[in-house]
Amino acid sequence: MTKHEVPKDHPRYQSLFIRESIIEGMHKRIVAEAGLIAHGRGEAFDYLLGEETPQFALEQERLATIHLLLAKKPVISVNGNVAVLCPEEIVELSKGLNAPLEINLFYRSRERELAIETAMKEAGAKKLLGIDPDKQTTIKEISHQRRIVDIDGIAVSDCVFVPLEDGDRTQALTHLKKEVITVDLNPLSRTSLTASVSITNNLTRASAEMVVIAKELKHLSRDELLIERSKHNNSKLLETALFYMSNRLTRLATELSIKKNE
Ligand code: ATP
Ligand code: MG
């Protein structure tokens, strides 16, 4: 089945369409094979959220956007899954936040770099950092290919937005005293636990919501943004995410046992 063959009246149309898009992205060499497995883990956690954005996630997205607007050199890191899931939203966010896009890959090959560059350009991106070999440097704290970064991008950035990141790199970037903002449906992953701001939501929803939030917050002064930032707390929000999932499961289990006894 291709993504266009998914029946529109299927009760899980949205989820199936995205799944087929990821598979298609793998055939086009945009998505790594491990990207499919990561997507499956994300889907499982999205079930726990009820596949919709809870209030706490909107607050996480607001806090993340404030950090990105306050940063001196914000950068948005792009990988294969991001390029398939929400390329237009990420391009819009890049424009709205004045944050360049940088391709940064765990499974790096020239073929994948170029496939992702093409996908992002089709979505409206003008320029992608991270793929010019003359401008690459390495972060020594990271042992794999993700250590390669652009001298004008992540290397000099004070705040990196990494939708869908691996735990090791999140930790390494925070050790380098960079703020790291992540989107990860699993609130227990090392990524979520170590990021400066964790967004516990599906990237497809989070990216679209952040575009709207950025438009709204862009008009605030630096002082107003600082006041807004002080109203939110990342650890508290992550705690809320876990309680939300756990309370939702308890409620669903209770409803099931009531039904069974009827
Ligand atoms: P960590 O390295 O952070 O401990 P991990 O090794 O389990 O976690 P990775 O493969 O490094 O996970 O990163 C993939 C993460 O991305 C998973 O936790 C998964 O839940 C999450 N994920 C996958 N797809 C999405 C999506 N569409 N939106 C948000 N999160 C997603
Ligand atoms: Mg990992």
Side-chain angles (χ1 to χ4, degrees):
M1 193 182 346
T2 70
K3 65 183 180 189
H4 301 295
E5 287 162 8
V6 178
K8 290 224 163 63
D9 58 351
H10 192 287
R12 298 193 41 71
Y13 170 76
Q14 189 69 10
S15 172
L16 285 184
F17 183 85
I18 292 171
R19 202 178 298 173
E20 293 303 327
S21 307
I22 288 274
I23 293 171
E24 193 182 293
M26 187 195 69
H27 291 308
K28 286 187 183 166
R29 306 277 182 237
I30 299 171
V31 172
E33 284 162 352
L36 264 64
I37 300 167
H39 183 74
R41 282 207 295 295
E43 280 193 343
F45 279 99
D46 209 13
Y47 252 85
L48 304 186
L49 279 188
E51 295 176 304
E52 58 185 19
T53 302
Q55 191 54 41
F56 75 80
L58 277 177
E59 205 179 320
Q60 291 173 318
E61 289 159 16
R62 195 173 171 85
L63 179 60
T65 310
I66 294 169
H67 275 263
L68 285 159
L69 285 168
L70 281 169
K72 288 196 181 68
K73 275 183 177 289
V75 171
I76 303 177
S77 177
V78 177
N79 68 10
N81 285 44
V82 173
V84 165
L85 290 174
C86 52
E88 280 95 7
E89 289 81 359
I90 290 295
V91 170
E92 237 190 290
L93 210 49
S94 161
K95 288 179 186 156
L97 297 168
N98 228 341
L101 299 168
E102 175 163 342
I103 296 180
N104 192 269
L105 306 174
F106 197 103
Y107 301 96
R108 198 182 264 273
S109 70
R110 193 66 190 155
E111 190 189 25
R112 281 198 69 219
E113 285 177 357
L114 298 178
I116 293 172
E117 184 191 29
T118 304
M120 294 307 293
K121 286 202 164 160
E122 276 170 13
K126 294 273 176 294
K127 192 175 164 214
L128 279 304
L129 299 174
I131 49 175
D132 178 350
D134 294 335
K135 282 178 60 222
Q136 287 172 343
T137 180
T138 56
I139 296 178
K140 62 176 183 335
E141 282 79 358
I142 306 174
S143 59
H144 46 71
Q145 282 176 315
R146 270 202 161 182
R147 60 164 36 191
I148 301 170
V149 292
D150 196 294
I151 51 171
D152 292 327
I154 293 174
V156 290
S157 168
D158 56 339
C159 182
V160 195
F161 179 36
V162 268
L164 307 187
E165 182 52 293
D166 174 56
D168 285 11
R169 221 171 77 104
T170 309
Q171 276 166 343
L173 291 172
T174 53
H175 284 154
L176 289 170
K177 304 274 177 274
K178 296 181 192 297
E179 285 188 335
V180 187
I181 292 164
T182 59
V183 181
D184 190 336
L185 276 156
N186 176 3
L188 293 171
S189 73
R190 290 169 309 152
T191 301
S192 293
L193 295 173
T194 46
S196 320
V197 182
S198 308
I199 299 169
T200 317
N201 199 6
N202 196 319
L203 178 61
T204 52
R205 296 191 298 270
S207 55
E209 287 152 5
M210 283 174 77
V211 168
V212 177
I213 295 170
K215 278 189 186 140
E216 181 203 325
L217 293 177
K218 232 184 146 168
H219 307 291
L220 297 189
S221 68
R222 220 182 147 73
D223 284 348
E224 285 169 328
L225 283 172
L226 288 169
I227 293 170
E228 272 299 305
R229 189 178 70 181
S230 69
K231 293 180 188 164
H232 312 280
N233 179 297
N234 175 61
S235 319
K236 194 87 201 131
L237 285 165
L238 200 56
E239 185 188 309
T240 308
L242 271 172
F243 273 124
Y244 182 92
M245 287 181 178
S246 130
N247 291 340
R248 186 166 175 275
L249 286 183
T250 307
R251 182 170 51 77
L252 291 175
T254 312
E255 284 169 11
L256 262 188
S257 69
I258 291 171
K259 240 192 207 160
K260 212 173 82 193
N261 294 328
E262 271 171 4

